[in-house]
Amino acid sequence: HGPIFNELVTSRDGFHWLRQGGDRPTILGQGKLPNSWDQGMIAGLSLIRVGDELRLYYAGYDGPHDYLPFHSGIGLATLRKDGFASLDAGEGPGEVVTRRLRGTRGPLRVNYRAGAGFIRVEVLDADGKVIPGFGREDCDPLSADKVDQVVTWRGHEAWPAGADDVRLRFVMQNASLYSFMAGEDVKVIDEPPGVPLQVLY
């Protein structure tokens, strides 16, 4: 009984899935206007990538599950590629350090928005120390809105030699980070208890 809406679940391998805990936001909510054609239920979500855009086709209903007769239609919502969630920094600069990443390869590519700010990236070794030449001051600032931007350090996109097991530190201000990619075969190394993902704002 009642309304139907869609929430986001995530998976690293396509087999094991995780739902966000706590107050989960909807990925696509019902229509908000009175008498909206999709104010009752959202169902049958299908996702198609077109260029740098994700198109979400869905069935919408003007009444809840136990409301008859209801009327239906097909809707279209759009989203940037990999734009389901982001890490955001405001006026106060923020930093986020990833878990250890094994099997990394360059170039490093990021999906971000920083029209009024910047993102810089540091490459850290497995012990959390900055690899020489790949610190925040070496990184050319990212300050646009791109879904596939190569990160460069002093104009070069080369990856640190022998850097197979690393962490990345993103330094951000007035920016949103949606995703990053450092090779096709990266594995996230689960940290032991007491070594959580660091998010500092």
Side-chain angles (χ1 to χ4, degrees):
H1 298 289
I4 294 177
F5 49 86
N6 291 266
E7 295 178 343
L8 183 65
V9 296
T10 60
S11 173
R12 290 179 180 168
D13 59 12
F15 294 98
H16 303 90
W17 294 87
L18 177 67
R19 295 182 68 182
Q20 178 180 324
D23 184 18
R24 295 189 295 266
T26 59
I27 187 63
L28 183 61
Q30 304 106 300
K32 301 300 182 185
L33 298 177
N35 301 317
S36 173
W37 68 276
D38 57 354
Q39 70 177 358
M41 296 182 290
I42 300 294
L45 197 65
S46 297
L47 190 149
I48 300 173
R49 177 183 168 188
V50 180
D52 291 336
E53 181 180 79
L54 297 179
R55 297 184 180 179
L56 293 82
Y57 293 90
Y58 65 95
Y61 302 83
D62 62 0
H65 193 257
D66 56 351
Y67 174 82
L68 291 173
F70 49 66
H71 304 89
S72 63
I74 298 175
L76 169 63
T78 60
L79 190 69
R80 72 184 287 138
K81 178 176 175 281
D82 294 335
F84 295 102
S86 64
L87 292 173
D88 306 305
E91 287 290 338
E95 298 182 8
V96 59
V97 180
T98 68
R99 292 185 171 90
R100 285 192 299 130
L101 307 172
R102 182 165 296 160
T104 56
R105 298 289 184 272
L108 174 64
R109 316 180 85 91
V110 295
N111 180 346
Y112 78 103
R113 176 181 289 127
F118 68 88
I119 295 179
R120 294 177 186 264
V121 188
E122 293 184 313
V123 184
L124 314 178
D125 63 21
D127 296 322
K129 297 178 181 178
V130 176
I131 296 176
F134 293 86
R136 68 185 67 190
E137 298 305 322
D138 302 302
C139 183
D140 301 313
L142 306 174
S143 56
D145 183 350
K146 303 283 187 179
V147 299
D148 186 15
Q149 175 67 53
V150 173
V151 179
T152 58
W153 291 267
R154 299 191 184 279
H156 301 286
E157 62 183 51
W159 195 244
D164 180 64
D165 198 348
V166 304
R167 301 176 193 267
L168 299 176
R169 178 185 286 133
F170 293 89
V171 182
M172 306 164 52
Q173 184 172 15
N174 288 326
S176 297
L177 174 65
Y178 294 94
S179 63
F180 66 89
M181 183 175 183
E184 297 282 349
D185 301 311
V186 174
K187 291 183 173 54
V188 178
I189 307 303
D190 289 331
E191 304 290 355
V195 188
L197 174 71
Q198 300 174 46
V199 183
L200 307 174
Y201 288 108

